[in-house]
Amino acid sequence: MTTPVHARPISERIDWLMELSRAHSASFCSPENHLARQRYLAEHNTQIIAMKCMDGRIHLPYVTQTPLGVIHPFRNLGGIFELGWPYLGDMLADTVQQAVSQGRRVLIIITYHYSKGLRERGCAGFDCDREAAMRHAFQIRSQVEKLFGNGHRTVYPLVCGFESDEDALVLHGSQERTLDLSTIPVSRLDDMASEIASLCPDMPEPVQRDLLPLVEGNIRHVNEIRQFDRELNIEHREWVICLGRGFDFLHAPNVALIIGPYSPDLSHPIRQAAGIIKSNMDSGRIPDDGFLLLCSAPYQEPGTQKARAELKSAFLADFGAEVIRQAFPELATRMVTRSAILHWPERKLEVRGS
C-alpha cells in the first residue's frame, strides 16, 4: 500500500512537491491545455478574482472543475483582507484596470468557509465562527463597492460561502437570498442559468454566463464527492507554509497554507500558519521530522523584473524564517526553507536553497 504524501519523510514530501510543480508547468504549457485555456477565456471573457483563506482545503479551481489559470487568487489568513492595505489595494486595482482595458468585466468572488458537520473544522482565522467570517466577507464586498462603484455594471462582488465537508459553495445574492449548491441535484443543471439570474438580478448577463460553468462544475463535484466514502473528519494535514505569490500548482488540498504578501503585518498570518503546522505535528497528523517554508515571487520578463523577484523572495524567506524562530523556536529547528521565483507565462518555479 502506498504511503500517503503527508505521512512520508520530509525529504520525500519536498521531492513530491517539486515534481508537482514541474508537472503543473509542463501541463500548463502543453499545446492542448494552452489552446483549451485560450478557448475557455475567449468563450468566458469575465476576469474572475477570488479572495480566499490560506487554508489548503479552499481550492476553487478544483471544486468548480475550472481550468487552472482562469481564477486569479488572492489568499490570506481567514480570507481576512482590508482594501486600505497599500499593496493589496494597488494590486487589486491594477488587476481590475488591466481587465477593463481589455474590454472585460470583473467578477470578484469573496469567500468565507465553514463546516456543517463540526464547528471546529471551520475557519481558524475566525475561531471557527461562521457568522463572523461571513460578516467580514460582506465588509470586503462593501469596500469593493466603495472602490469600484455599487452599480455593478463592470465589477461585481459576490460573497460565496465554502462548506468544506463536501466542497459545496453557497452563493449570497441580493436581499439576503442564498443558493446552496449542495442542495442542487445534477438533474437540475439546466435550471442554473435562471437561478443565477434570480439570485443576482443586478449581475450583468455576460458575468452570469461566465459564473455558470463554476456553478455547474461545483454541483458535479459535490455529486462526485458523495459517490465515495470521504473522510468526514477533514483535518488539517498541511506541512508547507507558502509565503508570497505564484502557488497555482498547489491544487492538492490539505498540503499548504498560502499567505499572500498583502497585509502590512505579515508576521501575524505567519505565526498562525506555524501554529497550525505545530498542531499538525503534535497531534500526529503529519510526521514531526520537518516542514517546508516555501517563498515565491513571480516575474514576467528577464532582467530587472527577474532580479526584483529574486530579492522579494529572498526577503520573504528571511523574514518568515525569523518570525517562526522567534514565535516557535523548537519548531524552527525542523524548518526547511526554500526561496523561489516563478516565471509567470510558463508557471515555471525556479527554487533556491535556504
Side-chain angles (χ1 to χ4, degrees), residues 251-262:
H251 50 83
N254 280 5
V255 170
L257 298 161
I258 302 173
I259 305 170
Y262 309 118

Side-chain angles (χ1 to χ4, degrees), residues 94-263:
D94 289 346
T95 303
V96 169
Q97 186 58 50
Q98 183 179 17
V100 172
S101 67
Q102 297 168 350
R104 306 170 69 187
R105 289 180 170 86
V106 180
L107 172 64
I108 301 180
I109 300 175
I110 305 161
T111 69
Y112 67 92
H113 71 97
Y114 67 99
S115 161
K116 67 180 180 182
L118 187 65
R119 184 181 188 275
E120 288 71 21
R121 290 200 294 264
C123 182
F126 288 95
D127 294 325
C128 303
D129 185 338
R130 178 187 179 185
E131 293 300 318
M134 185 166 58
R135 283 195 301 270
H136 180 72
F138 277 96
Q139 289 171 6
I140 299 172
R141 187 182 74 169
S142 296
Q143 289 186 342
V144 169
E145 290 176 332
K146 187 171 184 178
L147 190 58
F148 301 111
N150 55 15
H152 300 161
R153 302 313 299 168
T154 300
V155 178
Y156 195 96
L158 177 68
V159 172
C160 185
F162 186 110
E163 198 287 300
S164 57
D165 288 1
E166 291 188 321
D167 295 343
L169 302 181
V170 179
L171 279 57
H172 290 261
S174 59
Q175 300 177 342
E176 300 183 350
R177 291 187 57 210
T178 60
L179 179 63
D180 184 347
L181 300 188
S182 71
T183 67
I184 310 295
V186 174
S187 60
R188 285 194 55 210
L189 285 180
D190 290 344
D191 299 334
M192 288 304 101
S194 60
E195 288 281 359
I196 293 172
S198 176
L199 182 75
C200 305
D202 61 338
M203 181 182 288
E205 288 186 12
V207 181
Q208 293 181 21
R209 181 196 64 221
D210 294 344
L211 174 60
L212 182 61
L214 277 68
V215 169
E216 294 176 340
N218 186 237
I219 293 170
R220 287 192 294 266
H221 174 77
V222 172
N223 181 71
E224 291 165 7
I225 286 291
R226 290 170 176 167
Q227 300 307 308
F228 58 88
D229 186 20
R230 189 185 196 190
E231 180 186 0
L232 273 183
N233 191 24
I234 306 166
E235 299 178 301
H236 285 289
R237 286 175 176 161
E238 295 89 353
W239 52 273
V240 186
I241 298 175
C242 292
L243 181 57
R245 298 171 55 218
F247 300 108
D248 285 6
F249 69 92
L250 271 167
H251 50 83
N254 280 5
V255 170
L257 298 161
I258 302 173
I259 305 170
Y262 309 118
S263 169

Side-chain angles (χ1 to χ4, degrees), residues 49-62:
I49 295 170
M51 307 186 78
K52 52 188 179 176
C53 181
M54 69 178 182
D55 190 311
R57 297 171 295 178
I58 316 306
H59 189 69
L60 284 180
Y62 172 67

